[in-house]
Amino acid sequence: MHNESSPPSVATDGAPAAVSHPKTIKSFVLRAGRTTSGQAKAFETLGPQFLLPYRAAPLDLDAAFGRSAPNILEIGFGMGEATASIAALLPEKNFLCCEVHQPGVGALLKRIGEQGQTNIRICSHDAVEVIDHMLPLASLDGIHVFFPDPWHKKKHNKRRLLQAPLVAKLAARLKPGGYLHCATDWQNYAEQMLEVLGAEPLLKNTAADYAPKPDYRPLTKFENRGIKLGHGVWDLVFTRV
């Protein structure tokens, strides 16, 4: 999730240092930021229960959550505000959340502790590798990708997360009838998402083009500020056929 308050680290050539010359698409850009004392305490006290270590082996989701329930994957949750809100609103669902930004991971752990939530697990690792190695085919009931980095310069568009190869992997990990919900505040990226998702044979659009914002997705502070400035937000909801 992109955040105007935490810009990407930048290499001398003007490209983000974490992916200056990527050979494969990654789901993240390492960002600057310090973990607060409260977040550090959350890592120490809550990490053992809610952090899932990355392993290149299929993940038993029932064992990870201690129950059998619909499983939702979230890719990139920023500081975790929306994630915690959605998980609280939908306690009957499990949320497996991938984020590499450590202050964001700490912030979500802190929210989990403050709100007494039990239906969130965090894998602080590149989501693409988690998908490739930990998530079996047809294992997910839903996938959320909210406000991924837009890479708004045309020469950087190829670095965008939602491109055909990854979309095919995501679709294959959805159960029949499962959904993929994406949201962006960058119109050009919304148009690309619509094209790429629409071209994936395993997916079907739930709307003619863009979908109404589902009730479970809260408006973030960043989004509210953008709306007041006249910026658009686009939601796309596709289901696995």
Side-chain angles (χ1 to χ4, degrees):
M1 180 181 294
H2 67 90
N3 187 315
E4 59 188 8
S5 65
S6 55
S9 55
V10 179
T12 54
D13 64 355
V19 285
S20 55
H21 300 287
K23 293 181 180 177
T24 58
I25 295 295
K26 287 187 177 293
S27 65
F28 65 93
V29 180
L30 291 177
R31 300 178 185 279
R34 293 184 177 178
T35 302
T36 66
S37 59
Q39 292 165 5
K41 184 177 180 181
F43 268 108
E44 182 181 346
T45 59
L46 300 171
Q49 181 179 356
F50 296 102
L51 289 176
L52 296 177
Y54 170 77
R55 293 192 180 95
L59 174 65
D60 183 336
L61 288 163
D62 288 358
F65 285 91
R67 66 173 185 172
S68 179
N71 293 300
I72 311 299
L73 170 69
E74 180 169 12
I75 300 177
F77 53 76
M79 298 303 286
E81 183 179 4
T83 301
S85 173
I86 295 170
L89 189 66
L90 303 172
E92 73 282 3
K93 296 184 178 181
N94 296 333
F95 291 86
L96 173 62
C97 307
C98 292
E99 176 61 67
V100 296
H101 184 52
Q102 292 302 290
V105 174
L108 181 54
L109 284 170
K110 189 168 178 286
R111 292 180 198 277
I112 288 171
E114 291 169 349
Q115 299 177 21
Q117 292 177 278
T118 59
N119 61 333
I120 296 173
R121 297 292 184 273
I122 302 168
C123 189
S124 185
H125 193 82
D126 177 21
V128 177
E129 292 193 355
V130 172
I131 293 160
D132 280 343
H133 303 296
M134 295 183 71
L135 295 177
L137 300 178
S139 62
L140 300 173
D141 297 88
I143 300 170
H144 296 169
V145 187
F146 299 153
F147 305 103
D149 197 316
W151 292 106
H152 49 78
K153 290 184 179 179
K154 190 170 182 179
K155 64 181 180 180
H156 291 155
N157 284 179
K158 63 179 181 286
R159 301 182 184 190
R160 288 174 171 172
L161 175 66
L162 287 165
Q163 300 190 49
L166 180 63
V167 169
K169 293 178 182 182
L170 294 175
R173 279 152 184 82
L174 285 171
K175 297 175 183 176
Y179 70 92
L180 170 58
H181 177 190
C182 305
T184 182
D185 55 356
W186 193 262
Q187 185 174 3
N188 176 264
Y189 200 0
E191 291 167 355
Q192 180 187 327
M193 287 180 182
L194 187 62
E195 180 180 351
V196 172
L197 297 177
E200 169 51 53
L202 291 179
L203 296 176
K204 180 181 180 182
N205 200 343
T206 62
D209 42 37
Y210 304 107
K213 183 185 78 66
D215 291 339
Y216 60 76
R217 185 178 73 75
L219 290 174
T220 65
K221 293 176 184 176
F222 175 79
E223 188 176 352
N224 268 320
R225 191 157 60 242
I227 290 172
K228 288 176 183 177
L229 292 170
H231 301 167
V233 176
W234 294 265
D235 284 83
L236 301 93
V237 181
F238 281 68
T239 54
R240 166 76 191 260
V241 297

